[in-house]
Amino acid sequence: MGRPGLVMAWAPIAERDMLLADVRPLISYLEDELDRPIDVQVTDSYDDLQQRLAAGTVDIGVVPPALYVLAHKAQPELEALAVKLVDGSTGSDGALYVDDQSGITDLQQLRGKRFCYADQKSTTGYVFPRAALRKAGIDPDRDVISHVSGNHIAVLRDLANGVCDAGAVYSGGYLAADRAGVPVQRLRQLAMTGRSPQDAVCAGPKLSQPLRTQLKKALLTYDGKKGGMMVGQVERISGFAPIREADYDNVRAALRADGRL
């Protein structure tokens, strides 16, 4: 691989080491297909990923849905090449959890409680749960106490450790947290908060058109179930599919309700 390398950055949906280990089979495949090395990084926050994409210091960004909508508004030239398939699905559900011993059985009981979020630009870990609270007549800025845990596994860890009374993650976060040693059996799902697309793979502004075409083709022909490439505790990427902008409509609606679009 004598060609110049590429930087591929992921939002911190989980602990850095776990995420990096999970995506190694995909990276090896892309390095072979693109015939160049890839420096894989996990950014410090969702906002950090957006800023680095805009600055052109990232060639390929794996961008969660709400972040994609916000980044595309600020940077219309941002191009999404494909959306992840996780265990064959292009979508993921948001879920709200409480401690099973808390006695909380209704969203109304969350008034005055401490609420754990993943990141302020997370879809299922922030945007959707705030919309769910608002729909229940609860002001997420006044009626609950916000705590940002940093990623989805950290949300459930904080909830299990009593840092918060409730927390929101994507549906697969429960299984990922269990594999990370979080005692999730003591947690109970209180509500579903919405359906969102999986993360999109986006081209940074300095990625050439030939490389974009090559990368998109590689993504759309990736078969994570072939040769044991679908592994890991978090990602479980089985493939990629073309972007469908209509799949982001409910994400946009939730962002508008939150005054961010």
Side-chain angles (χ1 to χ4, degrees):
M1 293 185 189
R3 298 185 179 186
L6 299 172
V7 175
M8 187 176 191
W10 299 64
I13 65 166
E15 273 82 354
R16 187 183 308 267
D17 291 345
M18 180 183 289
L19 185 53
L20 290 174
D22 265 17
V23 302
R24 192 64 247 171
L26 170 64
I27 302 309
S28 296
Y29 165 82
L30 291 177
E31 287 180 327
D32 288 342
E33 291 295 308
L34 301 178
D35 191 28
R36 61 187 68 221
I38 297 176
D39 177 17
V40 187
Q41 302 175 3
V42 179
T43 58
D44 292 333
S45 66
Y46 287 49
D47 194 52
D48 183 28
L49 176 56
Q50 181 179 348
Q51 291 178 14
R52 293 180 60 191
L53 271 170
T57 58
V58 167
D59 299 298
I60 308 165
V62 184
V63 184
L67 180 59
Y68 168 68
V69 171
L70 292 169
H72 192 267
K73 178 188 177 185
Q75 188 183 357
E77 66 276 16
L78 182 69
E79 181 183 6
L81 303 176
V83 64
K84 292 189 315 188
L85 291 170
V86 177
D87 288 327
S89 176
T90 60
S92 177
D93 293 311
L96 196 160
Y97 287 92
V98 295
D99 190 301
D100 191 42
Q101 302 301 312
S102 67
I104 297 173
T105 58
D106 187 271
L107 289 176
Q108 296 297 331
Q109 294 174 273
L110 296 179
R111 294 179 186 275
K113 303 295 187 181
R114 195 168 179 85
F115 200 107
C116 273
Y117 296 107
D119 185 284
Q120 291 183 342
K121 291 187 176 179
S122 170
T123 313
T124 53
Y126 190 84
V127 179
F128 278 3
R130 283 171 61 85
L133 290 174
R134 198 176 285 110
K135 187 176 181 180
I138 300 170
D139 186 329
D141 293 314
R142 297 182 180 182
D143 296 336
V144 298
I145 303 164
S146 297
H147 174 82
V148 177
S149 298
N151 64 62
H152 291 266
I153 293 175
V155 164
L156 296 182
R157 181 177 289 113
D158 282 348
L159 181 56
N161 289 337
V163 175
C164 298
D165 303 290
V169 297
Y170 71 104
S171 54
Y174 183 91
L175 181 58
D178 182 45
R179 290 168 172 166
V182 178
V184 294
Q185 292 79 9
R186 63 181 292 175
L187 307 180
R188 175 170 45 82
Q189 184 177 298
L190 181 64
M192 301 296 287
T193 59
R195 183 80 172 170
S196 91
Q198 302 284 1
D199 298 346
V201 180
C202 297
K206 296 181 181 179
L207 192 69
S208 70
Q209 191 57 55
L211 265 177
R212 291 177 189 227
T213 301
Q214 193 178 0
L215 173 60
K216 185 173 183 177
K217 180 181 178 181
L219 292 169
L220 294 179
T221 54
Y222 177 74
D223 184 356
K225 296 181 180 179
K226 183 179 179 181
M229 293 190 291
M230 183 177 153
V231 296
Q233 301 180 21
V234 181
E235 288 293 303
R236 296 192 59 78
I237 300 172
S238 58
F240 294 85
I243 293 287
R244 297 184 302 185
E245 284 295 330
D247 290 347
Y248 293 85
D249 287 349
N250 60 338
V251 179
R252 294 186 183 97
L255 285 167
R256 280 194 292 269
D258 212 26
R260 300 170 73 182
L261 268 189

